[in-house]
């Protein structure tokens, strides 16, 4: 059941860096990491602690996933999130963002501004456990 009212999950880690987020998320993608693109959102409190487990927003094909900002922010609003981290995987193993990834990130960032919910980062993960792409680290957020 979803946590309501802005209370972090018990024993939730503080997600203070992109590498920490990548480590936290990898097990949650499981077998899908190599099969199909999945998009998740983590609603956070003011101390960057998850208010609930990562929320699966969309499941796509081996090459793409359709995501709508309204779906990204739905549970963030319900849990009174101060900020969010978003992530998706690339089954192809290519870590660089596509034009669509960059465009979506900007749309979600703008949506967050309107709602007063900061988008801290957008990560792209692959099955290579030591590699991830952080939009924040690359200056997109």
């Amino acid at each position: 059941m979803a946590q309501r009212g802005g209370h972090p999950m018990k024993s939730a880690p503080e997600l203070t860096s992109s590498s920490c987020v990548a480590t936290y998320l990898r097990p949650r993608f499981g077998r899908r990491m190599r099969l199909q693109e999945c998009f998740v959102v983590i609603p956070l409190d003011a101390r960057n602690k998850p208010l609930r487990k990562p929320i699966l927003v969309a499941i796509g094909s081996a090459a793409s996933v359709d995501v709508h900002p309204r779906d990204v922010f739905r549970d963030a609003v319900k849990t009174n999130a101060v900020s969010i981290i978003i992530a998706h995987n690339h089954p192809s193993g290519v870590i660089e963002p596509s034009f669509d990834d960059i465009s979506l990130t900007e749309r979600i960032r703008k949506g967050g501004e309107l709602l007063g919910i900061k988008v801290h980062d957008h990560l792209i993960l692959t099955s290579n456990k030591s590699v991830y792409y952080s939009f924040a680290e690359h200056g997109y957020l």
Side-chain angles (χ1 to χ4, degrees), residues 18 120-122 133-141:
S18 299
H120 280 302
D121 206 347
H122 179 182
Y133 183 94
S134 163
F135 281 76
E137 288 178 1
H138 285 87
Y140 287 104
L141 291 170

Side-chain angles (χ1 to χ4, degrees), residues 104-124:
L104 175 64
T105 302
E106 181 61 14
R107 285 178 48 221
I108 291 171
R109 185 194 62 76
K110 287 179 180 178
E113 282 182 2
L114 289 172
L115 293 169
I117 299 174
K118 180 171 178 51
V119 180
H120 280 302
D121 206 347
H122 179 182
L123 270 68
I124 299 173

Side-chain angles (χ1 to χ4, degrees), residues 25-129:
L25 283 175
R26 268 186 206 290
R28 285 149 179 88
F29 277 91
R31 290 189 51 207
R32 287 191 173 134
M33 186 68 79
R34 295 177 191 262
L35 302 174
Q36 59 196 143
E37 285 197 21
C38 299
F39 193 98
V40 300
V41 60
I42 307 168
L44 304 170
D45 70 4
R47 292 183 1 214
N48 295 328
K49 288 190 146 210
L51 293 167
R52 60 174 295 189
K53 292 178 183 176
I55 301 152
L56 181 61
V57 174
I59 299 172
S61 68
S64 68
V65 62
D66 288 329
V67 179
H68 299 281
R70 69 177 173 267
D71 299 326
V72 171
F73 289 104
R74 181 178 295 119
D75 282 296
V77 169
K78 287 180 185 176
T79 58
N80 295 320
V82 172
S83 59
I84 62 171
I85 295 171
I86 55 177
H88 78 283
N89 63 312
H90 279 178
S92 66
V94 175
I95 201 66
E96 290 81 25
S98 67
F99 174 79
D100 289 341
D101 293 337
I102 294 167
S103 176
L104 175 64
T105 302
E106 181 61 14
R107 285 178 48 221
I108 291 171
R109 185 194 62 76
K110 287 179 180 178
E113 282 182 2
L114 289 172
L115 293 169
I117 299 174
K118 180 171 178 51
V119 180
H120 280 302
D121 206 347
H122 179 182
L123 270 68
I124 299 173
L125 305 172
T126 68
S127 59
N128 181 337
K129 293 184 191 286

Side-chain angles (χ1 to χ4, degrees), residues 4-20:
R4 304 269 183 214
H7 299 290
M9 297 177 352
K10 289 183 181 182
S11 71
E14 282 188 44
L15 300 177
T16 56
S17 70
S18 299
S19 63
C20 179

